[in-house]
Amino acid sequence: MTGAQAAAAQVAAATAAEAYQRIVAALIRITGDWTLAEDCAQEALALALDRWPVDGVPDNPGGWLMTVARNRALDVLRRGTVERRKLRELAVLALTAATAEPEREEIVDDRLRLIFTCCHPALPLEARVALTLRTICAVATADIARAFLVGESTMTRRLTRAKTKITEARIPYRVPTGPALTQRLPGVLAVLYLLFTHGYNADGEPAFADEAIRLARLLARLMPDQAEVHALRALFLLQHSRRHARRDAAGDLVPLDRQDRSRWDHAAIGEAVGILDELRESELRESEPAESEPAKPGPYALQARIAACHATAASVADTDWVGIADCYDRLAHLQPSPVIELNRAVAHGYAYGPAAGLDLLARARAGGELDDYPLAIAAEADLTARAGDRVRAAALFRAAAAGVHSDAERRALLDRADEA
Amino acid sequence: MKYLMFVCTDTEPDTDPAPEPDIHRWVAEHDASGQRLQGMALAPKSTATTVRVRNGQTLVSDGPFAETKELIVGFDLLECADLDEAIEVARAHPMARGGRIEIRPQADWDR
């Protein structure tokens, strides 16, 4: 391969990711056929990788790919005998009428529509995540299957089933408006969040976290008025900023208070803090929200603010615990859950002293849902140690250690028991 | 697009004290909008009869075909542009709160 050919191959690869989602989204809108859209987009990319190194890169690589994919779709539809007749006629008409490249706005809209369709609540949750990865992020089915711990053929079947339901139950290819958007957006954000945690967890695919951040960025650009979209993006950036510091050489989790803060990604933290500052300003500008509007700040904004308090603190002692406790108070009100109550108790323990924390913790555990949750015992142990009861704290640390699954966590808790 | 709405009971109905929507009003509204083509409430399960044909033999037995806790108590045939429209119609039905509603699209044999 010559230098020019290598450069052409590089352009093709770089254009690919961005062009792929746009082509797939546009072809799905026009033909309603997901498989056809994916196949044609992939064929266009393959042809580009083949031809560009020889013929040179066209002036408008994205447009070139779109034209090739569209012509390929037309060929298939014209020859097709199995596709539904009526739909086919409509699609051929639309494809013929489509000019060189759709307007920029329309492309953007297509991708947003596609996100809402992939994340429709009538699809099983896991299928939503998989379909988003496959259709919008163009992740290979084999890679998605690995992340979900299933075989490739199982994942292929799952994706096919989801696409069949979209077609046969006629799940619309549309972004809902008005109150329907308020109801549906949290579901879309939950899929993105799940995607992120699939990348963030120890056994996950790290690339998925990058995909989730990219999607959140896209969504924020497409729906600039939705505060929770910006908040989710900030939350991702903040959690992701610790990626180089949150595991030790053996791959074990390092707790926040022992992480080397100089290894955090301070550029990402700065970006996230900027997003949160803007959100706060726009909250102040706005008058009382209408009844159908979600409460402000929303749950992702609160989680992001908590993460920002940690991310901008020089040390655990320097952390704005009063700010964190306030966020947990509001979060517990918006989304009551035992785990949030537990975190709230810990935050209050740091902000207002161990007695306040222990008091809230006792109330959080009264329901019994935290009974088999070793982190609740560990939190009680920590608060008890800081309250000065070393003997009881050591016993609690040992009890918590007996309940955790990871060796590293157990060692860390036993160390604390010895220190107490 | 035609959808059939199975109106079912549920072991865990809504506990919201707000009054449930009125069924007669729901029928009148969706008949008028053209979204409800027909529908009916069904007599209790004690009146159900199951019919099977096996090797040329007709087997008739008592009761609903499936032993489920959630029982079909009625149905409505809808004409809607897409699933979201059908969901909107279903969520306005009183049994969406008192029970649950399953929406199934018409099969498309023309594929």
Side-chain angles (χ1 to χ4, degrees), chain B residues 22-51:
Chain B
D22 178 63
I23 184 64
H24 300 294
R25 208 167 138 188
W26 181 87
V27 169
E29 258 174 36
H30 295 97
D31 277 353
S33 68
Q35 288 165 307
R36 180 180 179 273
L37 303 180
Q38 51 172 287
M40 60 174 81
L42 303 176
K45 72 169 177 180
S46 56
T47 63
T49 304
T50 298
V51 179

Side-chain angles (χ1 to χ4, degrees), chain A residues 336-346 357-380 383 396 399-400 403-404:
Chain A
S337 96
V339 173
I340 287 177
E341 289 294 343
L342 166 63
N343 289 327
R344 182 174 167 231
V346 172
L358 283 167
D359 182 43
L360 277 178
L361 185 61
R363 275 193 260 167
R365 297 181 72 182
E369 284 135 316
L370 293 172
D371 280 356
D372 297 316
Y373 196 60
L375 292 183
I377 306 172
E380 188 186 350
L383 289 165
L396 284 166
V404 295

Side-chain angles (χ1 to χ4, degrees), chain B residues 53-85:
Chain B
V53 175
R54 298 288 182 271
N55 298 316
Q57 291 254 357
T58 303
L59 305 170
V60 176
S61 54
D62 169 54
F65 62 90
E67 282 301 319
T68 55
K69 281 179 185 148
E70 289 80 25
L71 191 77
I72 299 171
V73 292
F75 73 87
D76 293 275
L77 181 62
L78 308 180
E79 174 65 52
C80 293
D82 55 43
L83 184 65
D84 277 0
E85 189 182 324

Side-chain angles (χ1 to χ4, degrees), chain A residues 310-323:
Chain A
H310 288 300
T312 53
S315 69
V316 173
D318 267 343
T319 306
D320 175 13
W321 287 105
V322 171

